[in-house]
Amino acid sequence: MSNSDAFRLVPGLGGETNVLTAVEKYERYHVLHDGEADPRKVNYTDMVNKYYDLASQFYEYGWGDCLHFAHRWKGESLRESLKRYEHFIAMQLAMKQGDKVLDVGCGIGGPMREIARFSNVSITGVNNNEYQVARCKKLNQLAGVDETCNIVQADFMNMPFPDNSFDEVYAIEATCHAPDAYGCYKEMYRVLKPGQKFAIYEWCLTEAFDPNNYEHQKVKEEIEFGNALPGLRITTQVLEAVKRAGFDVIWDNDFATDSPVPWYLPMDTNKLSFLSFRVTTVGKFLTDNLLKALEYVRVVPAGTQKVQAILQKAANGLVDGGRKGIFTPMYFVLARKPE
């Protein structure tokens, strides 16, 4: 599927003016464009939806249907590491045949489909983006798992499920979009059955982050801008929010600290790859000029180059945050809802 096809499929982004307008509105939410954190939190649904309307097809084209990072062994391919990472969370939750599982912020459903097949469970995904919901349903059908994998369009801060509905609840690098971590985890607590487990991989700032360091703040702002985040939280804040929500924490760990292959390697311009090439000086020059030409002849909508620039900013911030050790996308928490 081409990028021009993608924009025609995204609801509300059918024309050039709509793409440009969506990009400009999205940019105004962020510090790098004189935005502030409070409006991002209040209007997080609009901000995140605009971002994924614009970026979803870029992500799928470059990364596949599993839109997350992973702990990775030497000699292990990116795809293998992503699958192992997903299997790990299923095993930690002790999923068993017949369980009803909730995937909070499921993207286009790659992890949901993999875990459903691996653990022989039924999984419901929650996603608030109309385009991604439609794409997930289509991919579920193509994979032949539409009987066991279901997706509901809803806000994970206010999910349309009764109390105590699910045997296991997890989120993979999704709840970083929540305006309030405690509120999000409390909602996950509500729908989980008593005595059952909850697990998250969370995007966080580490204890090494210094709010008074200009370079650290720049990295934080680039990650927030490039990934539609209301505001990054420190690992200790996330752990405290899990406890406040009522969970008993079993264990937690930042898997970025002991990954033999750096999680950001696919985007690292020092290690050239298909994904990292576009953020090199040469790759950026070629990509920018290609998109300019395609916009000029109207193969892709005007504004596509700006979307690419947002994703480049995201990659820069993520790699710099990983190198400096001030950011992790894989802070893991396993917890249990008391009986």
Side-chain angles (χ1 to χ4, degrees):
M1 182 183 296
S2 69
N3 287 328
S4 55
D5 290 335
F7 282 112
R8 282 196 290 270
L9 287 170
V10 174
L13 291 182
E16 295 186 3
T17 303
N18 288 337
V19 174
L20 272 173
T21 301
V23 172
E24 289 164 357
K25 286 183 177 179
Y26 172 75
E27 287 176 337
R28 287 197 291 270
Y29 280 118
H30 291 273
V31 173
L32 294 177
H33 293 266
D34 299 320
E36 297 179 354
D38 286 344
R40 291 205 302 273
K41 292 179 180 179
V42 172
N43 300 297
Y44 73 96
T45 299
D46 180 65
M47 178 188 68
V48 174
N49 271 319
K50 279 186 170 57
Y51 176 81
Y52 281 110
D53 281 347
L54 294 164
S56 289
Q57 281 294 334
F58 283 89
Y59 275 132
E60 188 177 350
Y61 175 72
W63 205 263
D65 63 350
C66 299
L67 309 180
H68 61 84
F69 296 103
H71 175 283
R72 188 173 168 188
W73 297 109
K74 290 182 178 179
E76 188 177 37
S77 71
L78 175 61
R79 182 62 183 166
E80 288 170 341
S81 70
L82 295 174
K83 286 189 175 186
R84 179 174 55 80
Y85 203 58
E86 293 157 5
H87 296 173
F88 176 82
I89 204 168
M91 294 173 69
Q92 288 295 307
L93 288 168
M95 294 181 188
K96 59 186 182 298
Q97 184 174 354
D99 280 358
K100 290 176 59 181
V101 182
L102 180 65
D103 182 334
V104 176
C106 65
I108 57 174
M112 174 169 64
R113 289 184 288 275
E114 182 64 33
I115 291 172
R117 288 182 293 227
F118 177 74
S119 299
N120 200 14
V121 295
S122 297
I123 303 183
T124 298
V126 170
N127 190 321
N128 209 22
N129 181 263
E130 183 180 352
Y131 170 76
Q132 288 199 341
V133 169
R135 183 66 177 151
C136 181
K137 287 180 178 178
K138 179 65 175 177
L139 293 174
N140 286 350
Q141 290 174 348
L142 291 173
V145 296
D146 48 316
E147 294 295 321
T148 54
C149 293
N150 177 45
I151 184 167
V152 174
Q153 185 171 349
D155 182 353
F156 56 37
M157 301 296 291
N158 184 24
M159 294 186 284
F161 308 118
D163 295 355
N164 310 321
S165 297
F166 295 95
D167 297 297
E168 292 88 29
V169 175
Y170 70 87
I172 299 178
E173 300 181 27
T175 50
C176 51
H177 293 296
D180 169 29
Y182 163 74
C184 182
Y185 301 152
K186 189 69 176 176
E187 184 67 353
M188 295 167 75
Y189 179 95
R190 180 185 69 79
V191 300
L192 180 64
K193 293 177 181 178
Q196 298 301 103
K197 294 178 183 177
F198 147 102
I200 52 171
Y201 289 123
E202 191 68 273
W203 281 28
C204 295
L205 298 170
T206 70
E207 290 296 303
F209 174 78
D210 179 1
N212 298 314
N213 183 307
Y214 170 78
E215 290 298 322
H216 288 194
Q217 281 291 353
K218 181 183 176 184
V219 168
K220 176 178 179 288
E221 289 163 8
E222 286 183 341
I223 294 173
E224 290 170 348
F225 170 68
N227 297 279
L229 306 183
L232 280 167
R233 294 170 275 265
I234 297 174
T235 52
T236 51
Q237 294 173 323
V238 167
L239 188 63
E240 181 58 29
V242 170
K243 293 176 180 177
R244 282 183 57 214
F247 289 105
D248 293 331
V249 173
I250 298 171
W251 70 289
D252 68 297
N253 184 51
D254 177 8
F255 283 110
T257 60
D258 61 357
S259 182
V261 177
W263 59 267
Y264 53 83
L265 185 69
M267 301 176 295
D268 190 345
T269 56
N270 291 336
K271 303 288 186 180
L272 194 60
S273 68
F274 171 75
L275 290 171
S276 68
F277 175 71
R278 66 180 177 84
V279 294
T280 64
T281 302
V282 175
K284 184 177 183 298
F285 174 81
L286 293 175
T287 302
D288 287 350
N289 281 280
L290 173 63
L291 290 177
K292 280 181 183 178
L294 293 175
E295 286 183 14
Y296 181 76
V297 297
R298 302 196 176 196
V299 173
V300 298
T304 303
Q305 184 192 1
K306 282 196 167 188
V307 178
Q308 171 70 6
I310 291 171
L311 299 181
Q312 286 176 345
K313 187 72 72 174
N316 293 340
L318 291 168
V319 172
D320 286 347
R323 285 177 179 164
K324 296 177 187 297
I326 61 173
F327 169 79
T328 175
M330 51 188 70
Y331 178 56
F332 176 78
V333 181
L334 180 69
R336 188 190 307 275
K337 181 176 179 177
E339 290 284 358

